[in-house]
Amino acid sequence: MSATLEVAIFLSMNGKAKEAIQFYKEHLNAEELLLVTYEDMAKRDKTMRLTEENKQHIAHAVLLIGKTKLMLAEATMDVTEHYVVGNHSSLCIQSADLEEMEHFYKSLTSDERVRIIVPLSSNVFSKAYGIIEDPFGIQIQLMFDERLLNGA
């Protein structure tokens, strides 16, 4: 197991991510480590549909509360699902070891009960990112994040 492996809490906020970020900053002394809006994403991904209504929505945010990272976004991991309490949280397993992330993905998806939501692949914020749902209904994000080498 690599020294950079960590599991973070990820919450989908049903359009209230900005409000939640302010709440956690105010009440839990959360430190904002990263904030990416849909507008920021659209600058890097020309296929993203940007509107006046969604451009300030949060695509991805990382807060630090004590030693724990809390990640937030507006939508659920499986955008084809209607938001209900229960599909708004997931585990986000990340590491600066690309082979480790690829190993976890291969191992998880070898179980026929696992549902692949987003196949592991490169995107605008990670060389390897994917989402699966385990046999128990828990959605798990796998993400290569080289910033972990610096303790980010």
Side-chain angles (χ1 to χ4, degrees):
M1 196 137 338
S2 75
T4 62
L5 180 66
E6 68 179 27
V7 176
I9 301 162
F10 191 101
L11 301 176
S12 298
M13 300 307 298
N14 198 27
K16 296 185 178 185
K18 243 183 202 171
E19 183 180 340
I21 290 166
Q22 291 309 312
F23 179 86
Y24 297 135
K25 282 179 167 182
E26 180 180 342
H27 297 287
L28 299 175
N29 296 324
E31 177 186 350
E32 186 178 298
L33 300 180
L34 178 69
L35 182 77
V36 179
T37 64
Y38 284 22
E39 187 173 31
D40 296 329
M41 292 283 287
K43 290 175 185 172
R44 294 180 271 176
D45 180 357
K46 300 302 180 196
T47 64
M48 187 163 182
R49 291 180 36 209
L50 192 61
T51 66
E52 280 301 313
E53 293 78 35
N54 76 4
K55 72 180 185 179
Q56 293 306 310
H57 281 190
I58 307 302
H60 186 66
V62 181
L63 303 178
L64 186 64
I65 302 172
K67 294 181 180 182
T68 302
K69 288 183 184 165
L70 176 65
M71 299 179 178
L72 300 101
E74 303 292 355
T76 59
M77 294 297 92
D78 186 347
V79 295
T80 64
E81 292 180 334
H82 180 69
Y83 180 93
V84 293
V85 172
N87 74 350
H88 67 294
S89 59
S90 64
L91 297 179
C92 185
I93 300 173
Q94 50 189 12
S95 174
D97 183 336
L98 182 59
E99 288 179 12
E100 185 169 48
M101 288 297 92
E102 290 169 340
H103 168 76
F104 285 158
Y105 181 80
K106 186 175 181 180
S107 178
L108 286 162
T109 57
S110 69
D111 187 315
E112 64 186 30
R113 301 172 300 159
V114 167
R115 180 171 73 100
I116 298 171
I117 297 172
V118 175
L120 190 71
S121 62
S122 180
N123 65 24
V124 297
F125 60 84
S126 177
K127 289 181 185 175
Y129 177 78
I131 309 168
I132 62 96
E133 183 176 274
D134 74 14
F136 318 103
I138 304 298
Q139 294 176 353
I140 301 172
Q141 301 176 69
L142 299 168
M143 185 170 86
F144 167 76
D145 188 345
E146 59 195 7
R147 294 174 303 147
L148 294 171
L149 290 173
N150 302 324

